[in-house]
Coordinates of all heavy atoms in Angstrom, one line a residue:
M1 N -37.8 14.8 -74.0 CA -38.8 14.0 -74.5 C -40.1 14.8 -74.9 O -40.6 15.6 -74.1 CB -39.2 12.9 -73.5 CG -40.3 11.9 -74.0 SD -40.5 10.4 -73.0 CE -41.7 11.1 -71.8
K2 N -40.7 14.5 -76.0 CA -41.7 15.2 -76.5 C -43.0 14.7 -75.7 O -43.3 13.6 -75.5 CB -42.0 14.8 -78.1 CG -43.1 15.5 -78.7 CD -43.2 15.2 -80.2 CE -44.5 15.7 -80.8 NZ -44.6 15.3 -82.1
P3 N -43.8 15.8 -75.2 CA -44.9 15.5 -74.5 C -45.9 14.6 -75.4 O -46.2 14.9 -76.5 CB -45.5 16.8 -74.0 CG -44.8 17.8 -74.8 CD -43.5 17.2 -75.4
I4 N -46.8 13.9 -74.7 CA -47.8 13.1 -75.4 C -49.1 14.1 -75.5 O -49.9 13.8 -76.4 CB -48.2 11.9 -74.6 CG1 -46.9 10.9 -74.7 CG2 -49.5 11.2 -75.0 CD1 -47.1 9.6 -73.9
C5 N -49.3 14.9 -74.5 CA -50.5 15.8 -74.5 C -50.1 17.2 -74.4 O -49.2 17.6 -73.6 CB -51.3 15.4 -73.3 SG -52.9 16.3 -73.1
T6 N -50.9 18.0 -75.1 CA -50.7 19.5 -75.0 C -52.1 20.0 -74.5 O -53.1 19.8 -75.1 CB -50.4 20.2 -76.4 OG1 -49.2 19.6 -77.0 CG2 -50.3 21.6 -76.3
V7 N -52.0 20.6 -73.4 CA -53.1 21.4 -72.9 C -53.1 22.9 -73.3 O -52.1 23.5 -73.0 CB -53.3 21.3 -71.3 CG1 -54.4 21.9 -70.7 CG2 -53.1 19.9 -70.9
L8 N -54.1 23.4 -73.9 CA -54.2 24.6 -74.5 C -55.1 25.5 -73.6 O -56.4 25.1 -73.5 CB -54.7 24.7 -76.0 CG -53.7 23.9 -76.9 CD1 -54.5 23.9 -78.3 CD2 -52.4 24.4 -77.0
L9 N -54.7 26.7 -73.1 CA -55.5 27.5 -72.4 C -55.5 29.0 -73.0 O -54.4 29.5 -73.3 CB -55.1 27.7 -70.9 CG -55.1 26.4 -70.0 CD1 -54.4 26.7 -68.6 CD2 -56.4 25.8 -69.9
I10 N -56.7 29.6 -73.3 CA -56.7 30.8 -73.8 C -57.4 31.7 -72.9 O -58.4 31.3 -72.3 CB -57.5 30.8 -75.2 CG1 -56.8 29.8 -76.2 CG2 -57.7 32.1 -75.8 CD1 -57.7 29.5 -77.4
T11 N -56.8 33.0 -72.7 CA -57.5 33.8 -71.7 C -57.4 35.3 -72.2 O -56.5 35.7 -73.0 CB -56.7 33.7 -70.3 OG1 -57.4 34.4 -69.4 CG2 -55.2 34.1 -70.4
Y12 N -58.4 36.0 -71.7 CA -58.3 37.4 -71.8 C -59.1 38.1 -70.7 O -60.3 37.8 -70.5 CB -59.1 38.0 -73.1 CG -59.1 39.4 -73.3 CD1 -58.0 40.2 -73.5 CD2 -60.5 40.1 -73.2 CE1 -58.2 41.6 -73.6 CE2 -60.5 41.3 -73.3 CZ -59.4 42.2 -73.4 OH -59.5 43.5 -73.5
N13 N -58.4 38.7 -69.8 CA -58.9 39.5 -68.7 C -59.7 38.4 -67.9 O -60.9 38.7 -67.4 CB -60.0 40.6 -69.0 CG -59.1 41.8 -69.5 OD1 -57.9 41.8 -69.3 ND2 -59.8 42.7 -70.1
H14 N -59.1 37.3 -67.5 CA -59.6 36.2 -66.6 C -58.9 36.2 -65.3 O -58.7 35.1 -64.8 CB -59.7 35.0 -67.3 CG -60.6 34.8 -68.5 ND1 -60.3 34.4 -69.6 CD2 -62.0 35.1 -68.4 CE1 -61.5 34.5 -70.5 NE2 -62.4 34.9 -69.8
I15 N -58.5 37.2 -64.7 CA -57.8 37.2 -63.6 C -58.4 36.4 -62.3 O -57.7 35.8 -61.6 CB -57.4 38.7 -63.1 CG1 -56.2 38.7 -62.0 CG2 -58.7 39.4 -62.4 CD1 -55.6 39.9 -61.7
D16 N -59.7 36.4 -62.3 CA -60.4 35.7 -61.2 C -60.4 34.1 -61.4 O -60.7 33.3 -60.6 CB -61.9 36.1 -61.1 CG -62.0 37.6 -60.7 OD1 -61.1 38.0 -60.0 OD2 -63.1 38.1 -61.0
Y17 N -60.0 33.7 -62.7 CA -60.1 32.3 -63.0 C -58.8 31.6 -63.4 O -58.7 30.5 -63.4 CB -61.0 32.0 -64.1 CG -62.4 32.7 -63.8 CD1 -62.8 33.9 -64.4 CD2 -63.3 32.2 -62.8 CE1 -64.0 34.6 -64.2 CE2 -64.5 32.8 -62.6 CZ -64.8 34.0 -63.3 OH -66.0 34.5 -62.9
V18 N -57.8 32.5 -64.0 CA -56.7 31.9 -64.6 C -55.8 31.1 -63.6 O -55.3 29.9 -63.9 CB -55.8 33.0 -65.4 CG1 -55.2 33.9 -64.4 CG2 -54.9 32.3 -66.2
R19 N -55.5 31.5 -62.5 CA -54.7 30.8 -61.4 C -55.5 29.4 -61.2 O -54.8 28.3 -61.2 CB -54.7 31.6 -60.2 CG -53.7 31.0 -59.2 CD -53.5 31.7 -58.0 NE -53.1 33.1 -58.2 CZ -51.7 33.5 -58.4 NH1 -50.9 32.6 -58.4 NH2 -51.5 34.8 -58.6
K20 N -56.8 29.5 -60.9 CA -57.5 28.2 -60.7 C -57.4 27.2 -61.9 O -57.2 25.9 -61.7 CB -59.0 28.5 -60.4 CG -59.7 27.1 -59.9 CD -61.1 27.5 -59.3 CE -61.7 26.3 -58.8 NZ -63.0 26.6 -58.2
A21 N -57.5 27.6 -63.1 CA -57.4 26.9 -64.3 C -56.1 26.2 -64.4 O -56.0 25.1 -64.7 CB -57.7 27.7 -65.6
I22 N -55.0 27.0 -64.1 CA -53.6 26.5 -64.2 C -53.4 25.4 -63.2 O -52.9 24.3 -63.4 CB -52.6 27.5 -64.1 CG1 -52.8 28.6 -65.4 CG2 -51.2 27.0 -64.1 CD1 -52.0 29.9 -65.3
E23 N -53.8 25.8 -62.0 CA -53.7 24.8 -60.9 C -54.4 23.4 -61.1 O -53.9 22.4 -60.7 CB -54.1 25.4 -59.6 CG -53.2 26.5 -59.0 CD -51.9 25.9 -58.5 OE1 -51.7 24.7 -58.2 OE2 -50.9 26.6 -58.4
S24 N -55.5 23.6 -61.8 CA -56.3 22.4 -62.0 C -55.6 21.5 -62.9 O -55.7 20.3 -62.7 CB -57.6 22.8 -62.7 OG -58.4 21.6 -63.1
V25 N -54.9 22.0 -64.0 CA -54.2 21.2 -64.9 C -52.9 20.6 -64.1 O -52.6 19.4 -64.2 CB -53.7 21.9 -66.1 CG1 -52.9 21.0 -67.1 CG2 -55.0 22.5 -66.9
L26 N -52.2 21.4 -63.4 CA -51.1 21.0 -62.7 C -51.3 20.0 -61.7 O -50.4 19.0 -61.4 CB -50.4 22.2 -62.1 CG -49.6 23.2 -63.0 CD1 -49.1 24.3 -62.2 CD2 -48.6 22.5 -63.7
S27 N -52.5 19.9 -61.2 CA -52.7 18.9 -60.0 C -53.2 17.5 -60.6 O -53.3 16.6 -59.7 CB -53.9 19.5 -59.2 OG -55.2 19.6 -59.9
Q28 N -53.5 17.4 -61.9 CA -53.8 16.2 -62.5 C -52.7 15.2 -62.3 O -51.4 15.4 -62.5 CB -54.1 16.3 -64.0 CG -55.2 17.2 -64.2 CD -56.6 16.7 -63.6 OE1 -57.0 15.6 -63.7 NE2 -57.1 17.7 -62.8
K29 N -53.0 14.0 -61.9 CA -52.0 12.8 -61.7 C -52.2 12.0 -63.1 O -53.1 11.6 -63.4 CB -52.4 12.0 -60.6 CG -52.5 12.6 -59.3 CD -51.1 13.1 -58.9 CE -51.3 13.8 -57.6 NZ -50.6 15.1 -57.3
T30 N -51.0 12.0 -63.8 CA -51.1 11.3 -65.1 C -49.7 10.4 -65.2 O -48.8 10.5 -64.4 CB -50.9 12.3 -66.3 OG1 -49.6 13.0 -66.2 CG2 -51.9 13.4 -66.2
Q31 N -49.9 9.4 -66.1 CA -48.8 8.6 -66.4 C -48.1 8.9 -67.7 O -47.3 8.1 -68.3 CB -49.2 7.2 -66.5 CG -49.8 6.7 -65.1 CD -50.4 5.1 -65.2 OE1 -50.3 4.6 -66.2 NE2 -50.9 4.6 -64.0
Y32 N -48.3 10.1 -68.2 CA -47.9 10.5 -69.5 C -47.3 12.0 -69.3 O -47.8 12.7 -68.4 CB -48.8 10.4 -70.6 CG -50.1 11.1 -70.3 CD1 -50.3 12.4 -70.4 CD2 -51.2 10.3 -69.8 CE1 -51.5 13.0 -70.1 CE2 -52.4 11.0 -69.5 CZ -52.5 12.3 -69.7 OH -53.8 12.9 -69.4
S33 N -46.5 12.4 -70.2 CA -46.0 13.7 -70.1 C -46.9 14.7 -70.8 O -47.7 14.3 -71.8 CB -44.5 13.8 -70.8 OG -44.7 13.3 -72.1
Y34 N -47.0 16.0 -70.4 CA -47.8 16.9 -71.1 C -47.1 18.2 -70.9 O -46.2 18.6 -70.1 CB -49.2 16.9 -70.4 CG -49.2 17.4 -68.9 CD1 -49.3 18.7 -68.6 CD2 -49.0 16.4 -67.8 CE1 -49.4 19.2 -67.4 CE2 -49.1 16.9 -66.6 CZ -49.2 18.1 -66.3 OH -49.2 18.6 -65.0
I35 N -47.6 19.2 -71.8 CA -47.1 20.6 -71.6 C -48.4 21.5 -71.7 O -49.4 21.1 -72.3 CB -46.1 21.0 -72.7 CG1 -45.7 22.4 -72.6 CG2 -46.8 20.8 -74.1 CD1 -44.4 22.7 -73.5
I36 N -48.3 22.6 -71.0 CA -49.5 23.6 -70.9 C -49.1 24.8 -71.6 O -48.0 25.4 -71.4 CB -49.9 23.9 -69.4 CG1 -50.1 22.7 -68.6 CG2 -51.0 24.9 -69.5 CD1 -50.2 23.0 -67.1
K37 N -49.8 25.0 -72.7 CA -49.5 26.3 -73.5 C -50.7 27.3 -73.3 O -51.8 27.0 -73.5 CB -49.5 25.9 -74.9 CG -48.3 25.0 -75.3 CD -48.1 25.0 -76.8 CE -46.8 24.2 -77.1 NZ -46.1 24.8 -78.2
I38 N -50.3 28.4 -72.6 CA -51.2 29.4 -72.2 C -51.1 30.7 -73.2 O -50.1 31.2 -73.3 CB -51.1 29.9 -70.8 CG1 -51.0 28.6 -69.9 CG2 -52.2 30.9 -70.3 CD1 -50.6 29.0 -68.4
F39 N -52.3 31.0 -73.8 CA -52.3 32.2 -74.7 C -53.1 33.2 -74.1 O -54.3 33.1 -73.8 CB -52.8 31.7 -76.0 CG -51.9 30.9 -76.8 CD1 -51.8 29.5 -76.5 CD2 -51.2 31.5 -77.7 CE1 -50.9 28.8 -77.1 CE2 -50.3 30.6 -78.5 CZ -50.1 29.3 -78.2
D40 N -52.5 34.5 -73.8 CA -53.2 35.6 -73.1 C -53.3 36.6 -74.3 O -52.3 37.0 -74.9 CB -52.5 36.1 -72.0 CG -53.1 37.3 -71.4 OD1 -54.1 37.1 -70.7 OD2 -52.8 38.4 -71.7
D41 N -54.5 37.1 -74.6 CA -54.8 38.0 -75.7 C -54.7 39.4 -75.2 O -55.6 40.2 -75.3 CB -56.0 37.7 -76.4 CG -56.3 38.3 -77.6 OD1 -55.3 38.8 -78.3 OD2 -57.5 38.4 -78.2
A42 N -53.6 39.8 -74.6 CA -53.3 41.2 -74.2 C -54.1 41.7 -73.1 O -54.8 42.7 -73.1 CB -53.3 42.1 -75.3
S43 N -54.3 40.8 -72.1 CA -55.2 41.2 -70.9 C -54.7 42.4 -70.3 O -53.5 42.7 -70.3 CB -55.2 40.0 -69.8 OG -55.8 38.9 -70.3
T44 N -55.7 43.2 -69.7 CA -55.3 44.5 -69.0 C -55.6 44.4 -67.5 O -55.3 45.4 -66.9 CB -56.1 45.6 -69.6 OG1 -57.5 45.4 -69.5 CG2 -55.8 45.8 -71.1
D45 N -55.9 43.2 -67.0 CA -56.3 43.1 -65.5 C -55.3 42.4 -64.8 O -55.6 42.0 -63.6 CB -57.7 42.3 -65.5 CG -57.6 40.9 -65.9 OD1 -56.5 40.4 -66.6 OD2 -58.5 40.0 -65.7
G46 N -54.2 42.0 -65.2 CA -53.1 41.4 -64.4 C -53.0 39.8 -64.7 O -52.2 39.1 -64.1
S47 N -54.0 39.4 -65.5 CA -53.8 37.9 -65.8 C -52.5 37.5 -66.4 O -52.0 36.4 -66.0 CB -55.0 37.6 -67.0 OG -56.3 37.8 -66.5
S48 N -51.9 38.3 -67.2 CA -50.6 38.0 -67.9 C -49.5 37.9 -66.8 O -48.6 37.1 -66.9 CB -50.3 39.0 -69.0 OG -50.4 40.3 -68.5
D49 N -49.6 38.7 -65.8 CA -48.6 38.6 -64.7 C -48.7 37.2 -64.1 O -47.7 36.6 -63.8 CB -48.8 39.6 -63.8 CG -48.7 41.1 -64.3 OD1 -47.8 41.2 -65.2 OD2 -49.3 42.0 -63.8
I50 N -49.8 36.7 -63.8 CA -50.1 35.4 -63.2 C -49.6 34.4 -64.1 O -48.9 33.4 -63.6 CB -51.6 35.2 -62.9 CG1 -52.0 36.2 -61.8 CG2 -51.8 33.8 -62.4 CD1 -53.5 36.2 -61.5
I51 N -49.8 34.4 -65.5 CA -49.3 33.5 -66.4 C -47.8 33.4 -66.5 O -47.2 32.4 -66.4 CB -49.9 33.7 -67.8 CG1 -51.4 33.6 -67.8 CG2 -49.3 32.9 -68.8 CD1 -52.3 34.1 -68.8
R52 N -47.2 34.6 -66.4 CA -45.8 34.7 -66.4 C -45.1 34.1 -65.2 O -44.0 33.4 -65.2 CB -45.2 36.2 -66.5 CG -45.4 36.7 -67.9 CD -44.8 38.2 -67.9 NE -45.1 38.8 -69.2 CZ -46.2 39.6 -69.4 NH1 -46.9 40.0 -68.3 NH2 -46.4 40.2 -70.6
E53 N -45.8 34.3 -64.1 CA -45.3 33.8 -62.8 C -45.3 32.1 -62.9 O -44.4 31.5 -62.5 CB -46.3 34.2 -61.7 CG -46.1 33.5 -60.4 CD -47.3 33.8 -59.4 OE1 -47.8 34.9 -59.4 OE2 -47.5 33.0 -58.5
Y54 N -46.4 31.6 -63.3 CA -46.4 30.2 -63.5 C -45.4 29.7 -64.4 O -44.8 28.5 -64.2 CB -47.9 29.7 -63.8 CG -48.8 29.5 -62.7 CD1 -49.6 30.6 -62.1 CD2 -48.8 28.3 -61.8 CE1 -50.4 30.5 -61.0 CE2 -49.6 28.1 -60.8 CZ -50.4 29.2 -60.4 OH -51.2 29.0 -59.3
A55 N -45.3 30.3 -65.5 CA -44.3 29.9 -66.6 C -42.9 29.9 -66.0 O -42.1 29.0 -66.2 CB -44.4 30.8 -67.8
K56 N -42.7 30.9 -65.2 CA -41.3 31.0 -64.5 C -41.1 29.9 -63.6 O -40.0 29.2 -63.5 CB -41.2 32.3 -63.8 CG -39.8 32.5 -63.3 CD -39.8 33.9 -62.5 CE -38.4 34.1 -61.7 NZ -38.4 35.2 -61.0
N57 N -42.2 29.5 -62.7 CA -42.0 28.5 -61.7 C -42.1 27.1 -62.3 O -41.7 26.2 -61.6 CB -43.1 28.7 -60.7 CG -42.9 30.0 -59.8 OD1 -41.8 30.4 -59.8 ND2 -44.0 30.6 -59.3
Y58 N -42.7 27.0 -63.5 CA -42.9 25.6 -64.1 C -42.4 25.6 -65.5 O -43.1 25.2 -66.4 CB -44.3 25.1 -64.1 CG -44.9 25.0 -62.6 CD1 -45.6 26.1 -62.0 CD2 -44.8 23.8 -61.9 CE1 -46.1 25.9 -60.7 CE2 -45.2 23.6 -60.6 CZ -46.0 24.7 -60.1 OH -46.5 24.6 -58.8
P59 N -41.1 25.9 -65.8 CA -40.6 26.0 -67.2 C -40.7 24.7 -67.9 O -40.8 24.8 -69.1 CB -39.2 26.5 -67.0 CG -38.8 26.1 -65.6 CD -40.1 26.1 -64.7
E60 N -40.6 23.6 -67.2 CA -40.7 22.3 -68.0 C -42.1 21.9 -68.3 O -42.4 21.1 -69.2 CB -40.1 21.2 -67.1 CG -40.9 20.8 -65.9 CD -40.9 21.8 -64.8 OE1 -40.2 22.7 -64.8 OE2 -41.8 21.6 -63.9
K61 N -43.1 22.6 -67.7 CA -44.6 22.3 -67.9 C -45.3 23.4 -68.7 O -46.4 23.1 -69.3 CB -45.3 22.0 -66.5 CG -44.9 20.8 -66.0 CD -45.6 19.6 -66.4 CE -45.3 18.4 -65.7 NZ -45.5 17.2 -66.5
I62 N -44.9 24.6 -68.5 CA -45.9 25.8 -68.9 C -45.1 26.7 -69.9 O -44.0 27.0 -69.6 CB -46.4 26.5 -67.7 CG1 -47.3 25.7 -66.8 CG2 -47.0 27.8 -68.2 CD1 -47.7 26.4 -65.6
E63 N -45.8 26.9 -70.9 CA -45.2 27.8 -72.0 C -46.2 29.0 -72.1 O -47.5 28.7 -72.4 CB -45.1 27.1 -73.3 CG -44.3 27.7 -74.4 CD -44.2 26.7 -75.6 OE1 -43.5 25.7 -75.5 OE2 -44.8 27.1 -76.6
A64 N -45.8 30.2 -72.0 CA -46.6 31.3 -71.9 C -46.4 32.1 -73.2 O -45.3 32.3 -73.7 CB -46.3 32.3 -70.8
H65 N -47.6 32.5 -73.7 CA -47.7 33.3 -74.9 C -48.5 34.5 -74.7 O -49.7 34.4 -74.6 CB -48.2 32.5 -76.2 CG -47.5 31.2 -76.5 ND1 -46.5 31.2 -77.5 CD2 -47.5 30.0 -76.0 CE1 -46.0 30.0 -77.6 NE2 -46.6 29.4 -76.7
I66 N -47.9 35.6 -74.5 CA -48.6 36.9 -74.2 C -48.5 37.8 -75.4 O -47.5 38.3 -75.8 CB -47.9 37.6 -72.9 CG1 -47.7 36.5 -71.9 CG2 -48.7 38.7 -72.6 CD1 -48.8 36.0 -71.2
A67 N -49.8 38.1 -75.8 CA -50.0 39.0 -77.0 C -49.7 40.4 -76.6 O -50.1 40.9 -75.4 CB -51.2 38.9 -77.6
K68 N -49.1 41.2 -77.3 CA -48.8 42.6 -77.1 C -50.1 43.5 -77.4 O -50.3 44.6 -76.8 CB -47.7 43.2 -77.9 CG -46.3 42.7 -77.4 CD -45.2 43.2 -78.3 CE -43.8 43.0 -77.9 NZ -43.4 41.7 -77.3
K69 N -50.9 42.9 -78.3 CA -52.1 43.7 -78.8 C -53.2 42.6 -79.0 O -53.0 41.6 -79.3 CB -51.8 44.2 -80.3 CG -53.0 44.9 -80.8 CD -52.6 45.4 -82.1 CE -53.9 46.1 -82.9 NZ -53.5 46.4 -84.3
N70 N -54.4 43.1 -78.5 CA -55.6 42.2 -78.5 C -55.9 42.0 -79.9 O -56.1 42.8 -80.7 CB -56.8 42.9 -77.7 CG -57.9 42.0 -77.7 OD1 -58.7 41.9 -78.6 ND2 -58.1 41.2 -76.5
R71 N -56.0 40.5 -80.2 CA -56.4 40.2 -81.7 C -57.8 39.6 -81.8 O -58.2 39.2 -82.9 CB -55.3 39.2 -82.1 CG -54.0 39.8 -82.2 CD -52.9 38.8 -82.4 NE -53.0 37.8 -81.2 CZ -52.1 37.0 -80.8 NH1 -51.0 36.8 -81.5 NH2 -52.3 36.2 -79.9
G72 N -58.4 39.3 -80.6 CA -59.7 38.7 -80.7 C -59.6 37.2 -80.5 O -58.6 36.5 -80.7
E73 N -60.8 36.6 -80.3 CA -60.9 35.2 -79.9 C -60.5 34.1 -81.2 O -59.7 33.3 -80.9 CB -62.4 35.0 -79.6 CG -62.7 33.6 -79.1 CD -64.1 33.4 -78.6 OE1 -64.9 34.4 -78.6 OE2 -64.5 32.3 -78.5
I74 N -61.0 34.5 -82.3 CA -60.6 33.6 -83.4 C -59.2 33.6 -83.7 O -58.6 32.5 -83.8 CB -61.4 34.1 -84.7 CG1 -63.0 34.0 -84.4 CG2 -61.0 33.2 -85.9 CD1 -63.6 32.6 -84.1
I75 N -58.5 34.6 -83.7 CA -57.1 34.6 -84.0 C -56.4 34.0 -82.9 O -55.4 33.2 -83.1 CB -56.5 36.1 -84.2 CG1 -57.2 36.8 -85.4 CG2 -55.0 36.1 -84.3 CD1 -56.9 36.1 -86.7
S76 N -56.8 34.2 -81.6 CA -56.1 33.5 -80.5 C -56.3 32.0 -80.5 O -55.3 31.3 -80.4 CB -56.7 34.1 -79.3 OG -56.4 35.3 -79.0
V77 N -57.5 31.5 -80.9 CA -57.7 30.1 -80.9 C -56.9 29.5 -82.1 O -56.2 28.4 -82.0 CB -59.2 29.9 -81.2 CG1 -59.3 28.4 -81.6 CG2 -60.0 30.1 -80.0
L78 N -56.8 30.1 -83.2 CA -56.0 29.6 -84.4 C -54.5 29.7 -84.1 O -53.8 28.7 -84.4 CB -56.3 30.5 -85.7 CG -57.7 30.4 -86.2 CD1 -57.9 31.4 -87.4 CD2 -58.0 28.9 -86.7
K79 N -54.0 30.7 -83.4 CA -52.6 30.7 -83.2 C -52.3 29.6 -82.1 O -51.2 28.9 -82.3 CB -52.2 32.1 -82.6 CG -50.8 32.2 -82.3 CD -50.4 33.8 -82.0 CE -49.0 33.8 -81.5 NZ -48.0 34.0 -82.5
C80 N -53.1 29.5 -81.0 CA -53.0 28.4 -80.0 C -52.9 27.1 -80.6 O -52.0 26.3 -80.4 CB -54.2 28.7 -79.1 SG -54.0 27.6 -77.7
W81 N -53.9 26.8 -81.5 CA -54.0 25.5 -82.2 C -52.7 25.2 -83.0 O -52.3 24.0 -83.1 CB -55.3 25.4 -83.0 CG -55.4 24.1 -83.7 CD1 -55.2 23.7 -84.9 CD2 -55.9 22.8 -82.9 NE1 -55.5 22.3 -85.1 CE2 -55.8 21.8 -84.0 CE3 -56.3 22.6 -81.6 CZ2 -56.3 20.5 -83.6 CZ3 -56.6 21.3 -81.3 CH2 -56.7 20.2 -82.3
A82 N -52.2 26.2 -83.7 CA -51.1 26.0 -84.7 C -49.8 25.6 -83.8 O -48.8 25.1 -84.4 CB -50.8 27.2 -85.4
T83 N -49.8 25.8 -82.5 CA -48.6 25.5 -81.7 C -48.5 24.2 -81.1 O -47.7 23.8 -80.4 CB -48.3 26.6 -80.6 OG1 -49.3 26.5 -79.7 CG2 -48.2 28.0 -81.2
R84 N -49.5 23.4 -81.2 CA -49.7 22.1 -80.5 C -48.6 21.3 -81.0 O -48.2 21.3 -82.2 CB -51.1 21.5 -80.7 CG -51.3 21.1 -82.1 CD -52.7 20.8 -82.5 NE -52.9 20.3 -83.8 CZ -52.9 20.9 -85.0 NH1 -52.5 22.1 -85.0 NH2 -52.9 20.3 -86.0
I85 N -48.0 20.5 -80.1 CA -46.9 19.6 -80.4 C -47.1 18.2 -80.1 O -46.3 17.4 -80.4 CB -45.7 20.2 -79.7 CG1 -45.7 20.1 -78.2 CG2 -45.2 21.4 -80.2 CD1 -44.5 20.4 -77.4
A86 N -48.2 17.9 -79.5 CA -48.3 16.5 -78.9 C -49.5 15.7 -79.7 O -50.2 16.3 -80.5 CB -48.8 16.6 -77.5
V87 N -49.5 14.5 -79.5 CA -50.4 13.6 -80.1 C -51.9 14.0 -79.7 O -52.8 14.1 -80.5 CB -50.2 12.2 -79.7 CG1 -51.2 11.4 -80.3 CG2 -48.8 11.7 -80.3
W88 N -52.1 14.2 -78.4 CA -53.4 14.6 -77.8 C -53.4 16.0 -77.4 O -52.5 16.6 -77.0 CB -53.6 13.8 -76.5 CG -53.8 12.3 -76.8 CD1 -52.9 11.3 -76.7 CD2 -54.9 11.7 -77.3 NE1 -53.3 10.1 -77.1 CE2 -54.6 10.2 -77.5 CE3 -56.2 12.0 -77.8 CZ2 -55.4 9.3 -78.1 CZ3 -57.0 11.0 -78.3 CH2 -56.7 9.7 -78.4
V89 N -54.6 16.7 -77.8 CA -54.8 18.1 -77.4 C -56.0 18.3 -76.6 O -57.0 17.8 -76.9 CB -54.8 19.0 -78.7 CG1 -55.0 20.4 -78.4 CG2 -53.5 18.7 -79.6
L90 N -55.8 19.0 -75.5 CA -57.0 19.3 -74.6 C -57.2 20.7 -74.5 O -56.3 21.5 -74.5 CB -56.8 18.8 -73.1 CG -56.6 17.3 -73.2 CD1 -56.2 16.8 -71.8 CD2 -57.8 16.4 -73.6

């Protein structure tokens, strides 16, 4: 079933915050389906490892997009926005 809501998270070297951000979304009680799409812009601090871990543990909820090369904030936002699949985007 197609999710009603897409949650977009963009990160670059946010190891201190990425786990809390993901847990915050996962802990929400909803009556609708959602997917979390996480875009990491080639972090060098281990953020991408945390994102991969969550994507592996929650394959039905989390989709990880890890860039091989840092492209900058604008490109990351545009790429992230282009992948939305639901009616509502957060």
Side-chain angles (χ1 to χ4, degrees):
M1 180 167 88
K2 182 177 173 182
I4 293 174
C5 180
T6 302
V7 178
L8 303 175
L9 299 176
I10 302 170
T11 185
Y12 174 70
N13 286 345
H14 289 127
I15 195 165
D16 294 336
Y17 311 103
V18 70
R19 189 178 302 276
K20 187 172 182 176
I22 296 168
E23 286 292 338
S24 174
V25 177
L26 289 173
S27 69
Q28 298 299 310
K29 305 293 183 223
T30 67
Q31 296 180 2
Y32 52 85
S33 59
Y34 66 91
I35 187 166
I36 306 167
K37 294 188 170 220
I38 307 171
F39 289 78
D40 181 81
D41 197 15
S43 290
T44 58
D45 67 348
S47 296
S48 56
D49 295 329
I50 293 170
I51 294 164
R52 284 186 191 96
E53 171 191 328
Y54 274 93
K56 181 181 176 186
N57 291 335
Y58 298 91
E60 72 288 348
K61 289 276 186 207
I62 298 177
E63 199 176 286
H65 300 265
I66 312 293
K68 291 181 177 30
K69 179 181 174 187
N70 184 278
R71 298 168 298 198
E73 184 178 352
I74 299 300
I75 298 298
S76 293
V77 169
L78 293 174
K79 183 171 175 87
C80 186
W81 184 256
T83 69
R84 69 198 186 283
I85 59 171
V87 176
W88 296 99
V89 180
L90 302 173

